[in-house]
Amino acid sequence: MANLIVTGGAGFIGANFVHHWRKVSPQDMIVVLDALTYAGNPANLDGQEGVLLVEGDICDTPLVSKLIADHDIDTIVHFAAESHVDRSIAGPDAFVTTNVVGTHSLLKAAKAAWLDQGSGRPHRFHHVSTDEVYGSLEADDPAFSETTPYAPNSPYSASKAGSDHLVRAYHHTYGLETTTSNCSNNYGPFQFPEKLIPLFTINALNGRNLPIYGDGMNVRDWLHVEDHCKGIELVLRKGRIGETYNVGGGQELPNLTVIEDICRGVDNAFAADPSLAARFPDAPPAKGKSTLELKTFVTDRKGHDRRYALNVSKIRSELGFEPARDFPLGFAETLSWFLSNEDWWRPLLKRNAL
């Protein structure tokens, strides 16, 4: 039996991890520490027994220390982060504070509890990071591996790179038992509608333009969030202390392809279920039109990385990781989830004026 703190556990990936961990280890106790900023939603944890939600900031080291002591925590799974590149370009300060200072706060509290005052019991600090720390690839470049030099290009990826280095340093300097995973683009249930797939799906349902950066040919590797959670579980259970593991979906696609898949998926959903036209009267297929008509090309993002791709041979060979979904299956499930959970995302649109 383990006692976990899951930081950012009311957000997208963190909440999915909580759901996953409750299924595979229902005997474990989970404390979710989440600041409940715009992307944190307590509703993401509805129905999860044995989960204590604590509203708080990871930068509050005394709070983290108290939670570790009060709940006999032996595992921290650290998802909490500012993660939207556009927001980091407009306001990088919050990214440095949360991603760098916040991670250091957690590391200090973990070191104090498990090493300075600890009994030597096994523990784990798992840090969830991103492929963006490695920079950008050209079309013919080999995929990023765990030994690829860091070359972050946005304030977001730079702040995540800084946090990765701190986790590494706390292992090598102090002996903290850490692991890190760097993932590719996630998608799936509970994703806040500022990221590409939920944003464009909801825009399509509401008849809003689909703004495509540049030529739309920036390539990303897509990973369903449930596959990501299974990868993290493998790292926690079998990963080597002090190691980094890339977790990718093996689904490299240009943004334009993903967007056109969204358009076709929405059109097909309306054709299969005529009741959708009454629920979403502003959607093009409700008017006999194609969702592709909403595509709009806009000025490219500043410093927009051209391509990301992850080499996952390490986690595959060492831990047996294999994604269960290709993109067509994963996206079909995701579209179905958003169509079936309008009551989840409608309040977010109103609350955040999206």
Side-chain angles (χ1 to χ4, degrees):
M1 179 174 179
N3 297 328
L4 292 76
I5 287 178
V6 178
T7 71
F12 164 46
I13 307 177
N16 275 282
F17 177 80
V18 171
H19 284 252
H20 174 77
W21 200 263
R22 294 302 302 150
K23 292 177 185 176
V24 299
S25 295
Q27 74 281 4
D28 291 351
M29 190 273 293
I30 298 175
V31 176
V32 168
L33 176 59
D34 199 298
L36 297 181
T37 59
Y38 74 95
N41 187 351
N44 295 350
L45 300 173
D46 284 352
Q48 296 303 298
E49 297 181 0
V51 176
L52 172 65
L53 174 60
V54 176
E55 183 176 357
D57 192 334
I58 59 173
C59 293
D60 185 348
T61 310
L63 171 61
V64 177
S65 296
K66 186 175 189 303
L67 292 175
I68 294 173
D70 288 353
H71 300 283
D72 196 24
I73 298 296
D74 52 41
T75 304
I76 294 175
V77 189
H78 177 33
F79 293 95
E82 295 284 351
S83 65
H84 192 44
V85 174
D86 286 350
R87 290 179 184 267
S88 81
I89 293 170
D93 287 8
F95 288 73
V96 174
T97 298
T98 297
N99 299 352
V100 180
V101 178
T103 299
H104 189 223
S105 169
L106 293 169
L107 289 165
K108 287 190 296 182
K111 172 180 174 290
W114 295 335
L115 300 180
D116 300 345
Q117 305 159 14
S119 61
R121 65 182 293 186
H123 60 267
R124 180 68 66 89
F125 186 108
H126 181 74
H127 175 57
V128 180
S129 191
T130 171
D131 56 2
E132 297 190 39
V133 298
Y134 298 121
S136 182
L137 295 169
E138 297 299 327
D140 297 328
D141 288 342
F144 300 129
S145 75
E146 290 83 355
T147 60
T148 299
Y150 276 29
N153 290 319
S154 70
Y156 161 60
S157 57
S159 66
K160 289 299 288 184
S163 65
D164 291 7
H165 292 319
L166 282 168
V167 173
R168 174 184 170 86
Y170 264 70
H171 169 67
H172 284 275
T173 300
Y174 303 113
L176 194 69
E177 296 179 6
T178 69
T179 45
T180 295
S181 56
N182 294 81
C183 69
S184 55
N185 274 36
N186 277 222
Y187 67 101
F190 303 116
Q191 188 168 29
F192 187 80
E194 66 181 358
K195 301 296 178 73
L196 192 152
I197 288 178
L199 174 65
F200 279 45
T201 298
I202 292 171
N203 276 7
L205 294 174
N206 288 289
R208 299 175 181 173
N209 284 340
L210 308 179
I212 303 166
Y213 281 133
D215 62 2
M217 296 308 292
N218 301 76
V219 174
R220 300 293 182 261
D221 173 23
W222 292 91
L223 172 68
H224 192 278
V225 67
E226 290 184 13
D227 287 327
H228 184 195
C229 292
K230 291 176 183 177
I232 294 172
E233 179 195 352
L234 286 171
V235 175
L236 285 168
R237 296 195 190 279
K238 301 194 295 183
R240 289 183 288 138
I241 300 300
E243 290 294 314
T244 295
Y245 295 89
N246 286 343
V247 187
Q251 304 288 297
E252 281 191 64
L253 296 169
N255 288 344
L256 190 58
T257 298
V258 174
I259 292 163
E260 291 176 348
D261 284 348
I262 293 170
C263 293
R264 283 189 288 269
V266 169
D267 289 349
N268 292 338
F270 275 70
D273 183 358
S275 71
L276 292 176
R279 289 173 55 198
F280 305 106
D282 295 324
K287 304 172 183 179
K289 299 179 180 180
S290 169
T291 304
L292 291 168
E293 296 180 9
L294 297 176
K295 292 194 306 180
T296 304
F297 289 88
V298 299
T299 302
D300 205 357
R301 168 193 286 163
K302 294 178 180 179
H304 199 177
D305 290 339
R306 192 62 174 175
R307 172 177 167 246
Y308 305 142
L310 282 178
N311 181 330
V312 297
S313 59
K314 181 176 178 179
I315 192 172
R316 178 185 295 122
S317 62
E318 290 191 15
L319 309 182
F321 173 74
E322 287 291 346
R325 298 167 180 80
D326 60 12
F327 185 78
L329 173 60
F331 173 67
E333 292 177 354
T334 301
L335 176 59
S336 177
W337 189 89
F338 275 93
L339 288 172
S340 300
N341 288 275
E342 185 180 357
D343 58 344
W344 177 85
W345 54 261
R346 280 288 184 196
L348 298 181
L349 302 188
K350 295 177 181 179
R351 188 178 78 192
N352 296 281
L354 294 170

